[in-house]
Amino acid sequence: MRGFLASSIGVATAAALALPLALSAPALAAPSLGAAAAPVTPAGSTQSLPLTPLGPAADRSPGFPGMSTSPRLPETRGLPPREVKRFSLVGVVWDDVNSRLFGRVQVRTRAVTTGNWSDWQDIETHNSEHAPDLGTRESDSGRVRGSTAPLWVGDSDGIEVRVQAEPGAPATRVAGARLPSGMRIELVDPGATDPVTVVDAKNGKPGTADEPAGDDKGDVVALPGMTMETAESSSANVPLAALGAKEITALDKADSTADAVMAGDGTLSAAARPYIGPRPRIVTRLGWGADESLRESGFVYTGTVKAAFVHHSASGNNYACKDAPAVLRSLYRYHVVSSGWRDLGYNFAVDKCGTVYEGRAGGVAKAVLGAHTMGFNTDSMGVAVLGTYTSTTPPAAAVKAVAQLTAWKLGLFNRDPRSKTTLKSGGGNRFKKGTNVKLNVISGHRDGFATECPGKLLYAQLPPTRTSSAKLQGRP
């Protein structure tokens, strides 16, 4: 085993010092790293392992801890092959949220079922645009970290990591390119879910942006065996669904309108009623197994919903639809525990089979403030299609589900999916803070921020999605 580790470290070091990073035959071996890993933790877990220098790290350049011996070589960090507790999603985080990772991040993992190691897989590094707006309580909490996009790898118990900075990255004028400080690999186990009995109960009282809901626990009724945090989250969807419901049922257009009027909280105008699309089936947070103890208590709302931003999760397409709840639990844990956000960033998620999931807590029909499009989270909603759609065509079922969801949710706020709207930028790399920006009511993430999200092939589906969404609303 010692011989394998020494050989693998040497191979990884040599590969890390060359661009592009090459895949080596020895690194593809499937070594036995020891006894079987521990079973999945029912509630889920996160392992956080520091990334250390790769290569001749004993001789550090002055003022640049962890750099290679030669100042002309870019910094490289990583983790040799290691057996760990079981996990299914990985990502890299670092201390300073304002630092950017200019470089390449690759991982390979060992599957629990076969004991085989995967090929090297790239992790999307440019992820800072998925974040709370600057200057908000969430972004200024002191807990938010820099992070890559997460990558779903499936049930695994071994990990190897290599990261190389890009030569000539900003702030590297004296020596080779540097990586952010405090880098570590996050290994997320989504855990399992337990069945919950569905019964009727009273409605929870929504709060405002200045006074989050749920702080007064007297307004929340919990079922036997249900935590107050779970009851708080579930009650935000009453009367659309009963307390403890694992899903919100689909309704046709007429029933969706009647249901919205019954549940109206002052935001539903008479003008909106003719244009509320049929409500799709929505799996609630309880349905996909959200651990409500992770998020901050209470909810934060904005005044309205003027636009929907479509995203891809950039977590890869190597998941089956039956695994989507586990993918979502992993994303949730990565956003909260690893990245330091108050809750899952997206308001909704859609899997490749077209199932819609409730995202950030606070009520699917309400204007919940998310953390999905930096600078434009206020008065908008974020919908993430699970997967990566830069070079993979999004499934028709997923695209259809986005149209159905937006027809219903935007209809509640009388927004025509084919029209334009104006949002004020909260600051970002494309629009300065305070700039009034005219955007499509259904926009891609890249419309508000310089990013590849939602992937060019999903982005190309937005024009027909706007048309389909408007048709579902019954607009001429």
Side-chain angles (χ1 to χ4, degrees):
M1 180 173 173
R2 287 194 298 270
F4 163 74
L5 290 176
S7 173
S8 181
I9 293 170
V11 170
T13 300
L17 296 179
L19 284 175
L21 289 171
L23 192 63
S24 62
L28 290 175
S32 173
L33 298 186
V40 172
T41 304
S45 65
T46 301
Q47 303 170 73
S48 186
L49 305 176
L51 300 183
T52 56
L54 292 177
D59 182 13
R60 308 285 204 273
S61 299
F64 294 88
M67 288 200 62
S68 303
T69 304
S70 170
R72 292 185 297 275
L73 294 176
E75 183 182 8
T76 59
R77 287 181 173 265
L79 190 72
R82 178 179 299 188
E83 181 175 290
V84 292
K85 293 188 296 182
R86 290 166 70 163
F87 66 96
S88 295
L89 179 138
V90 302
V92 171
V93 301
W94 53 92
D95 294 339
D96 185 3
V97 67
N98 296 313
S99 296
R100 297 287 301 277
L101 195 167
F102 293 93
R104 189 175 187 183
V105 178
Q106 291 186 305
V107 299
R108 68 185 195 110
T109 56
R110 190 180 68 176
V112 169
T113 54
T114 65
N116 295 331
W117 286 83
S118 70
D119 294 337
W120 287 103
Q121 300 182 75
D122 285 286
I123 293 179
E124 173 59 55
T125 59
H126 298 155
N127 190 54
S128 61
E129 64 272 13
H130 299 83
D133 286 346
L134 299 173
T136 61
R137 183 172 61 182
E138 185 171 2
S139 68
D140 293 342
S141 67
R143 299 188 302 272
V144 181
R145 307 178 186 94
S147 61
T148 67
L151 178 67
W152 177 262
V153 295
D155 196 10
S156 305
D157 60 7
I159 182 72
E160 184 177 9
V161 186
R162 60 191 189 190
V163 184
Q164 183 182 41
E166 291 177 351
T172 58
R173 308 305 181 198
V174 177
R178 294 183 59 201
L179 296 168
S181 62
M183 291 181 65
R184 49 204 181 275
I185 186 79
E186 302 285 291
L187 309 177
V188 181
D189 161 29
T193 58
D194 296 320
V196 176
T197 302
V198 178
V199 299
D200 289 319
K202 64 176 290 187
N203 187 14
K205 183 176 73 175
T208 67
D210 294 325
E211 186 179 356
D215 291 342
D216 182 359
K217 299 302 181 183
D219 292 331
V220 179
V221 175
L223 301 177
M226 177 184 286
T227 67
M228 291 304 295
E229 293 87 353
T230 299
E232 177 192 49
S233 176
S234 184
S235 67
N237 286 317
V238 177
L240 300 184
L243 181 70
K246 290 190 173 183
E247 67 176 61
I248 299 170
T249 58
L251 295 176
D252 62 21
K253 191 176 188 308
D255 287 342
S256 293
T257 302
D259 197 62
V261 171
M262 179 184 69
D265 58 0
T267 60
L268 184 65
S269 67
R273 294 177 189 178
Y275 302 117
I276 299 172
R279 186 177 73 198
R281 171 179 173 266
I282 303 172
V283 177
T284 65
R285 289 171 63 91
L286 191 60
W288 56 261
D291 179 354
E292 300 293 353
S293 68
L294 296 180
R295 65 173 175 86
E296 288 187 10
S297 64
F299 317 122
V300 182
Y301 298 100
T302 64
T304 186
V305 176
K306 299 171 70 175
F309 286 98
V310 178
H311 305 255
H312 66 171
S313 62
S315 52
N317 303 313
N318 188 29
Y319 73 93
C321 292
K322 65 179 179 61
D323 297 325
V327 174
L328 203 52
R329 291 196 301 275
S330 298
L331 291 174
Y332 170 48
R333 180 172 278 274
Y334 185 71
H335 284 182
V336 177
V337 177
S338 302
S339 301
W341 302 353
R342 75 184 311 270
D343 194 352
L344 180 71
Y346 307 112
N347 299 104
F348 296 92
V350 175
D351 69 22
K352 63 175 67 174
C353 290
T355 301
V356 178
Y357 300 86
E358 178 184 13
R360 179 165 288 208
V364 295
K366 300 182 176 70
V368 179
L369 177 67
H372 48 84
T373 306
M374 180 186 281
F376 294 100
N377 289 308
T378 298
D379 294 342
S380 72
M381 58 184 270
V383 182
V385 180
L386 300 180
T388 304
Y389 299 105
T390 302
S391 57
T392 299
T393 301
V399 175
K400 180 181 179 181
V402 172
Q404 293 171 328
L405 173 61
T406 52
W408 172 71
K409 182 62 180 280
L410 292 173
L412 296 177
F413 297 87
N414 195 26
R415 308 298 175 190
D416 185 339
R418 303 164 303 185
S419 66
K420 303 278 188 178
T421 191
T422 300
L423 295 176
K424 180 176 288 187
S425 172
N429 68 357
R430 186 165 184 177
F431 300 103
K432 293 182 179 179
K433 185 175 183 178
T435 304
N436 288 319
V437 182
K438 195 170 187 179
L439 295 160
N440 288 306
V441 168
I442 297 180
S443 286
H445 187 179
R446 63 176 65 184
D447 295 324
F449 204 98
T451 174
E452 290 297 314
C453 186
K456 65 179 181 180
L457 297 186
L458 178 55
Y459 186 76
Q461 293 296 317
L462 296 188
T465 297
R466 297 181 188 111
T467 301
S468 298
S469 182
K471 184 177 181 179
L472 288 166
Q473 287 184 345
R475 294 186 184 272

